[in-house]
Amino acid sequence: MNTLHRTIAAFVVLVFTAWSTLLVADTKGKITGVVTDDRGDPLPGVNILLVGTGLGASTDLEGYYVILNVPPGVFQVRVAAVGYTPKLIERVRISSGETTQINAVLSEQAVEMNEVVVRAERPLVDMRQTSSVTLLGEDQISVLPVQELNDIVSLQAGVVDGHFRGGRSGEVQYQVDGVSVNNPYDNSSTVKLDRSVLQEVQVISGTFDAEYGQAMSGVVNAVLKSGSEEGFEWNAESYGGDYLGFGTSARYPHLEKVSPFAIQNYQASVSGPTPFDRTTFLVGVRRFVNEGYLFAERRFMPGDSSDFETQTFRPTGDGDTVPLQTADEWSGYVKVMNQSLASVQISYQALGNIIRSQRYDHRFRLNPEGVRKQRSTSLTHGIDVTHMLANEFFYTLSLRENRYRYTDYVFEDVFDPRYLDFGEPRRDPNYDNGAFVQGVDLSRFKQETTSWIIKGAMTLQATRNHMVKLGGEAQWSKITFGPPGSLVPSTVAGRQVLVPIVDSRDYPGLRTFWPVSAAVFAQDRIEFADFLIRAGVRAEYFDARAQLPDDLQNPANAIAGAPTASLQATTKKVVVAPRFGMSYPLSDQGAVYFSYGHFYQMPGLGELFSNSDYTVLRDLQAGVVSYGVLGNPNLRPEFTTQYEFGVKNQFGGVLGADLSVYYKDIRDLLGVEFVSTYSAAEYARLTNVDFGDVVGTTVALDYHADATLTVGLDYTYQMAMGNSSDARETATRAEAGEDPRPRRVPLTWDQRHTLNASIIIADPGDYSLTSIVRFGTGQPYTPTVLSRLGANLETNSARKDAYVTVDVRAEKNFTFSGVRLTVFARAFNVFGEHTVNGFVFGDTGSPDYSLNRTGNAALLTDPSRFYQPRRVELGISFSGRGS
C-alpha cells in the first residue's frame, strides 16, 4: 500500500472511529420547551406533535420535551394530554440549524371542549444567535424583488459585490441541502438556483460552526423544497420585460426600442404523492432568456477582407442591430423522498443548469459574429439518508456527485476550417476607433470538474443542555482545464497563416489533476433557558497529488554546472480550526453575544495548477526577470481569524435592533514571490504571502408595526485593507516598474458605508408592495492626474461616486375555483443609476468623460462601463392544489 492509500485509509478509519459512520451540515431545526398547567407545575406525559410530519415527543417528569430533525418551514404544533384542553399553536417557524422554543400552558378539561388555537409570535430578535446569521423563508422570499439565490445574498448586510465582510471573492461556501456545490477550480457555485425551488436560505456572514469548512468569509445554505403526502401542488409562472434606456442613448446606444420579450422567463413545478408507499416527488423546470442591454451593429462579417494599406474596407454585413450580451438558460430540479421504513427518510435529488451566454466585447461592436460564446452545464445529484435511532439521536448521510463543464471559444473544434478562413481579428486605428472589421477571437478555454462527495453528521441530545454533533466529509475531484487546442499565427511559404496545435511544449493543452480533501468536526451546542454556547473544532486535510521541482533555483535543470532538481510530491496539508460562540441574556428582551474562530480555505485549485510546469523556465536568461506568474501546487490553505461582538434587543414588541462589531485578521493569502536562480535570473510564482485585515460594524433594525407593514434596515461601516486586491497584483506592479514591496492600502472592494432598506406593505393572500433601497459610498480607484484630484498617485487613494439604487415589486392575488392567480410587476434600478462602482477614468474619477479624449476614444464609446439601466418586468403566476 503506497503512502497515498495509507493516508486515505487512516483518515477514513478516523472518521468511522468517531461515530461508526461517516457523518451533513445542519439543514434541520430543533424544537424544545416546557409544558405546565395553570398553576405552573410541570406536566409529564404530554404529547407534542408537528401536524402533518409524524414528528413528535412526550414531556418528561419536569415537563420538558425536545424534537430533533425538524425540516425548515412553518408548522402547526399540537399539545395534548388526557384531562386537559388540547392546544394548537399555529405559524411556528423552524429554521435550519436553530432551536425554536415553544412553551405551553394547558388547562384542566372540566367538560368536553374544542382545542384552543393560538398563533406563535415570531421574535424580532433571535436571542440564541452567536453571530450574524440571516434566515429567509419561502414566504419572505416570495415578496422580494429577487429571482435567483445570488439576488437574495446580495441584499444581506456586509455583502458588497459578492465579497463577504471584506474578504476576497471565492471565500464563500455555497451549499444545497447542507452539501457543497462549490467548484474547487475557483471556489464558485456550480449551480444557479431560482427562487421557485427555495424553501429557505441561510446566509452566515459572521463566524460559523465547525461543521462548515473550506470557507473564510461566509456560508450560503439553500434548503430546497420537497413534495407533500397531503396532495398535489402545482405552480407556473411567466414574465417578460426589457431594459428601458429612455433619455440615455449617449450611454446605451441601440436601446431606444422597447421589446416586451427581450427578457423571458417560464417556470413550472408539480409535487405530491406517488403510487408508492409514503413516497413524494417534486419536479420543476425553468427557461430563461435575456437579450441584455449591450448591442452591436453587424456591419462586418468575420470573413470580410479589407485592404489596410489603402484603408479600403469592404463590409458585407446586413447592418442589423444584434444583442452582444445574452443569456439562454435551462434549469431543472427533481426530488423524490421515501419514508416507508420506520424512522428512515431516503431522498434523491438532481439539480442542473444548461447556460449559453455571450460576454460583451467592445472591440467586436461592428463584427459581432467574431466574438466568443460561453457555454456551461452543471449537474449536482445524489442520495440523502436520515435515520432516527431514538427521539434524541439521529444521523444523516449524503452521497453527491457534482459535475461542471465550461467552454469559451468561437468554434468547438480547433481544426474547424472557419478559423483558418476568417483568421485572427484585425482593425485599423483610424476606422471607428479601432473596431475589429474582420476575423474571429482566437482565445480558447475549457474547464471540467467532477467531484464526488461523501458527507454526514450524527446528532445526539446527550442531556437537556448539551446537543453534540460529530461529522466528517471527504471529496475527490477530477479537474481538467486549459486551451483545447491553440491557433498560432505562423509564416508558411512566406504567407501568414494560422496553425492549429493541440498540445506542445510551447502551447500546452488540457491538463488534468486529481486532488483530495477531507475533514472531521465536533460541535457542542450548550443551551440553557436563554444562555447559549456553541463550541467546536474542525480538522481539515488536503492533498494536491501533484509534483514540483525540489530546487527552485534551477527548476528546469537548464543552468549548466548548477545542482540539478528532481520532481518531488507536494506535501499533505492538515490544519485544525477551533470555533466558539456564546449568547447571554441581558434581560427578557435583549442579549449580548460574542464569537471567535479560525477559518481555513484552499485557494481555487485552478490557481495551484495553472502554469505549474516549471520546465517553461528552461530558456530564462541570466539577469532577466520573468513576470509570467507560475502556479504552485504546494500552496498552504489561506487563513482568517474572526472576532465578533454584538448586542441585540427588542423594543415594545414592534422593533428589533442588532448592533455588531467585527474584526478579521487575514493571513497566507495568495500572492506573488520572486525566486532567484543560480544564474541571477528571477521568475514569479504564486505563494502564501498576501495579507489583509477588516474591521467593521453593522446595525440592523427590524420593524413590524402590524401584519401589513414590515421595515428592515441595515447599515454597515467597514474598512477592508491589505497589501493587494489580486493575487497577481505584485507581479503586475513590478512589470510596470512600480515598487512591488508590500504596503497596506484599501482593497478594491473597500466600500466604507453600505445601507440596505426594505419596506413591505402586504395583506397576505391579497396584495403586496415591496421596495428595496441600496446606498453605498464609492469604492477606491487609483488616480492618474495629480492636479485635478489632489492625490498622490498611491494605489486606491481616490474614491468613486456614491450611488443609490431602488428596486420595487407589486403583486395582486385572485382566487378562481381553488386556483390562485397572481399578477405582478417588478422594476429594477428604478431611477436609472449608472455609477455603481463600475469603471471610471483615472484622470477624472468619472465613467462619463476623460481629460484624454483622444487616447480614450474607444473607451468613451464603450457602454459596458456603465451599470445596467432600468429594467421592468410584468408577469403572472398560477398555483393550486389537487387531491
Side-chain angles (χ1 to χ4, degrees):
M1 182 180 291
N2 61 29
T3 303
L4 170 64
H5 292 160
R6 284 197 300 269
T7 303
I8 294 176
F11 187 84
V12 171
V13 169
L14 173 63
V15 178
F16 273 81
T17 301
W19 268 108
S20 302
T21 182
L22 267 178
L23 309 173
V24 120
D26 210 345
T27 62
K28 301 298 177 68
K30 168 184 167 183
I31 301 177
T32 65
V34 175
V35 181
T36 61
D37 60 17
D38 290 330
R39 298 181 298 274
D41 296 327
L43 291 177
V46 179
N47 292 318
I48 295 90
L49 176 69
L50 264 71
V51 179
T53 68
L55 295 173
S58 297
T59 58
D60 60 16
L61 293 176
E62 297 178 355
Y64 175 81
Y65 71 93
V66 59
I67 305 175
L68 302 180
N69 195 37
V70 184
V74 179
F75 299 90
Q76 293 178 321
V77 176
R78 191 174 190 272
V79 184
V82 175
Y84 293 85
T85 302
K87 180 172 289 188
L88 184 68
I89 306 171
E90 296 184 322
R91 302 293 297 174
V92 176
R93 181 180 295 278
I94 307 300
S95 297
S96 301
E98 302 301 326
T99 299
T100 301
Q101 191 168 30
I102 301 294
N103 298 324
V105 177
L106 298 184
S107 300
E108 291 191 36
Q109 189 176 33
V111 294
E112 189 68 27
M113 295 178 61
N114 293 327
E115 65 185 5
V116 177
V117 179
V118 297
R119 182 166 181 169
E121 293 295 329
R122 181 188 176 197
L124 293 174
V125 171
D126 188 346
M127 307 280 281
R128 294 174 174 267
Q129 292 286 6
T130 61
S131 64
S132 297
V133 180
T134 300
L135 292 158
L136 293 174
E138 176 188 4
D139 54 340
Q140 298 164 291
I141 295 171
S142 64
V143 299
L144 294 174
V146 296
Q147 189 62 39
E148 297 178 349
L149 175 62
N150 283 339
D151 301 330
I152 300 169
V153 173
S154 67
L155 296 177
Q156 307 312 311
V159 179
V160 177
D161 297 338
H163 299 270
F164 277 51
R165 289 194 169 180
R168 287 181 175 178
S169 59
E171 293 184 358
V172 179
Q173 174 72 210
Y174 285 89
Q175 299 186 341
V176 172
D177 285 346
V179 181
S180 172
V181 292
N182 276 26
N183 181 359
Y185 172 79
D186 59 3
N187 289 333
S188 65
S189 175
T190 59
V191 294
K192 295 182 68 175
L193 293 173
D194 181 68
R195 67 176 190 163
S196 62
V197 304
L198 298 174
Q199 176 69 38
E200 182 181 77
V201 173
Q202 180 185 42
V203 181
I204 308 176
S205 56
T207 58
F208 37 89
D209 287 349
E211 62 186 293
Y212 301 107
Q214 188 56 12
M216 293 202 302
S217 292
V219 175
V220 176
N221 187 21
V223 180
L224 305 186
K225 295 179 180 178
S226 301
S228 170
E229 293 187 74
E230 298 181 0
F232 292 99
E233 296 184 15
W234 58 270
N235 70 76
E237 179 181 276
S238 175
Y239 66 81
D242 196 9
Y243 295 92
L244 306 182
F246 302 134
T248 61
S249 58
R251 297 193 181 103
Y252 311 101
H254 310 298
L255 203 61
E256 298 85 1
K257 289 184 178 181
V258 177
S259 173
F261 301 106
I263 301 172
Q264 300 179 54
N265 183 86
Y266 308 95
Q267 173 269 323
S269 67
V270 60
S271 65
T274 70
F276 304 101
D277 182 39
R278 300 196 66 189
T279 302
T280 62
F281 78 97
L282 186 152
V283 177
V285 64
R286 181 191 182 209
R287 168 83 162 130
F288 176 71
V289 177
N290 188 350
E291 291 186 357
Y293 60 93
L294 300 172
F295 295 85
E297 177 193 345
R298 194 158 49 201
R299 187 185 307 176
F300 291 87
M301 297 297 290
D304 287 350
S305 179
S306 300
D307 189 335
F308 291 93
E309 290 186 3
T310 63
Q311 293 190 328
T312 302
F313 303 97
R314 307 180 184 94
T316 64
D318 55 17
D320 281 356
T321 298
V322 296
L324 201 58
Q325 186 188 45
T326 60
D328 188 332
E329 305 177 13
W330 282 95
S331 59
Y333 172 54
V334 176
K335 188 170 188 177
V336 180
M337 183 179 296
N338 177 275
Q339 302 181 77
S340 59
L341 298 176
S343 304
V344 177
Q345 177 182 287
I346 303 174
S347 66
Y348 170 81
Q349 68 176 27
L351 179 68
N353 303 125
I354 301 175
I355 303 174
R356 296 177 175 85
S357 59
Q358 186 173 262
R359 285 195 294 266
Y360 183 80
D361 189 332
H362 192 58
R363 300 171 301 171
F364 285 90
R365 60 189 177 275
L366 302 181
N367 177 23
E369 302 302 322
V371 76
R372 302 195 310 271
K373 283 80 174 174
Q374 294 76 44
R375 299 170 179 84
S376 66
T377 58
S378 63
L379 172 67
T380 175
H381 71 118
I383 297 174
D384 299 310
V385 179
T386 302
H387 185 191
M388 294 289 297
L389 299 173
N391 286 339
E392 299 83 15
F393 188 26
F394 73 95
Y395 71 87
T396 57
L397 176 68
S398 290
L399 303 172
R400 294 284 173 84
E401 180 186 46
N402 296 337
R403 289 181 172 269
Y404 180 76
R405 183 178 189 269
Y406 172 82
T407 61
D408 185 2
Y409 39 58
V410 179
F411 306 119
E412 181 175 3
D413 189 354
V414 70
F415 294 100
D416 192 307
R418 289 173 291 184
Y419 271 128
L420 306 182
D421 293 340
F422 299 155
E424 58 185 322
R426 298 189 64 185
R427 57 185 171 183
D428 187 302
N430 297 314
Y431 184 86
D432 206 308
N433 294 317
F436 287 137
V437 296
Q438 67 184 59
V440 296
D441 195 326
L442 302 184
S443 299
R444 295 172 54 79
F445 181 76
K446 180 179 181 179
Q447 194 270 307
E448 288 185 304
T449 298
T450 301
S451 295
W452 299 272
I453 302 172
I454 179 169
K455 182 176 182 179
M458 186 169 284
T459 303
L460 171 66
Q461 189 72 42
T463 69
R464 179 182 297 187
N465 306 119
H466 288 265
M467 189 177 77
V468 179
K469 191 170 187 178
L470 299 179
E473 62 181 298
Q475 177 170 309
W476 296 263
S477 298
K478 177 186 177 183
I479 301 175
T480 301
F481 67 95
S486 302
L487 293 146
V488 181
S490 305
T491 302
V492 178
R495 182 169 169 263
Q496 190 78 8
V497 296
L498 292 176
V499 177
I501 299 176
V502 175
D503 192 8
S504 72
R505 191 183 78 167
D506 295 321
Y507 297 95
L510 297 171
R511 294 289 184 265
T512 299
F513 302 88
W514 298 83
V516 174
S517 63
V520 291
F521 73 86
Q523 184 78 36
D524 188 8
R525 190 191 306 178
I526 308 168
E527 297 177 295
F528 296 95
D530 288 311
F531 180 44
L532 173 67
I533 293 177
R534 294 176 183 258
V537 62
R538 182 181 182 90
E540 302 195 48
Y541 166 90
F542 175 77
D543 184 1
R545 300 175 70 185
Q547 293 181 320
L548 276 177
D550 57 3
D551 189 343
L552 296 178
Q553 292 183 277
N554 189 17
N557 288 328
I559 304 174
T564 59
S566 58
L567 291 178
Q568 186 178 46
T570 53
T571 60
K572 300 168 180 61
K573 314 300 187 301
V574 177
V575 294
V576 178
R579 316 276 172 87
F580 175 82
M582 62 167 288
S583 176
Y584 186 80
L586 298 175
S587 67
D588 60 348
Q589 298 288 308
V592 60
Y593 60 92
F594 168 78
S595 60
Y596 162 84
H598 287 187
F599 304 91
Y600 291 91
Q601 181 180 26
M602 289 301 300
L605 301 188
E607 300 282 13
L608 276 73
F609 299 130
S610 181
N611 195 27
S612 60
D613 182 357
Y614 283 55
T615 61
V616 298
L617 298 174
R618 58 189 167 271
D619 298 323
L620 186 60
Q621 301 297 315
V624 173
V625 179
S626 172
Y627 294 104
V629 181
L630 274 71
N632 181 4
N634 212 24
L635 287 167
R636 303 189 307 276
E638 299 173 315
F639 171 61
T640 293
T641 304
Q642 289 197 54
Y643 305 82
E644 183 172 12
F645 174 82
V647 180
K648 57 182 68 177
N649 203 81
Q650 183 170 309
F651 301 93
V654 296
L655 177 64
D658 188 342
L659 167 66
S660 68
V661 179
Y662 57 89
Y663 173 73
K664 297 171 64 174
D665 182 19
I666 310 169
R667 302 295 176 91
D668 293 337
L669 284 176
L670 202 60
V672 169
E673 69 172 352
F674 291 94
V675 181
S676 297
T677 69
Y678 291 117
S679 64
E682 286 188 341
Y683 63 93
R685 76 163 191 159
L686 293 174
T687 191
N688 300 91
V689 294
D690 281 359
F691 57 87
D693 60 83
V694 181
V695 61
T697 182
T698 297
V699 179
L701 302 175
D702 193 5
Y703 177 73
H704 291 254
D706 51 41
T708 62
L709 176 63
T710 301
V711 179
L713 183 73
D714 65 71
Y715 164 76
T716 302
Y717 174 79
Q718 177 177 276
M719 291 190 297
M721 309 290 287
N723 70 304
S724 67
S725 302
D726 178 78
R728 290 172 171 76
E729 184 177 316
T730 299
T732 303
R733 294 203 319 269
E735 187 175 13
E738 301 174 8
D739 186 354
R741 290 177 297 180
R743 74 278 190 262
R744 187 171 178 270
V745 297
L747 299 175
T748 301
W749 52 88
D750 175 40
Q751 184 166 293
R752 293 295 168 88
H753 303 275
T754 304
L755 179 70
N756 297 318
S758 64
I759 303 172
I760 302 174
I761 302 173
D763 183 354
D766 187 9
Y767 69 88
S768 70
L769 177 63
T770 306
S771 176
I772 292 178
V773 181
R774 285 177 281 194
F775 164 81
T777 52
Q779 295 173 6
Y781 72 95
T782 302
T784 58
V785 178
L786 292 171
S787 60
R788 182 171 182 82
L789 296 176
N792 56 5
L793 287 178
E794 290 184 359
T795 302
N796 286 343
S797 57
R799 293 275 168 175
K800 302 174 185 178
D801 290 339
Y803 67 88
V804 177
T805 64
V806 178
D807 303 335
V808 297
R809 185 184 192 276
E811 70 172 36
K812 174 63 177 175
N813 300 308
F814 307 90
T815 302
F816 301 99
S817 302
V819 176
R820 178 172 174 172
L821 167 66
T822 301
V823 179
F824 64 88
R826 301 189 299 204
F828 302 88
N829 192 16
V830 173
F831 298 107
E833 176 64 73
H834 71 282
T835 58
V836 180
N837 284 325
F839 168 85
V840 297
F841 291 101
D843 55 7
T844 64
S846 168
D848 288 301
Y849 65 98
S850 168
L851 300 181
N852 183 10
R853 296 189 60 84
T854 301
N856 292 319
L859 271 174
L860 285 166
T861 63
D862 186 351
S864 66
R865 69 190 192 276
F866 298 113
Y867 186 68
Q868 65 177 16
R870 182 183 302 107
R871 184 171 99 241
V872 176
E873 297 167 350
L874 302 175
I876 188 170
S877 66
F878 301 87
S879 61
R881 295 174 176 265
S883 58

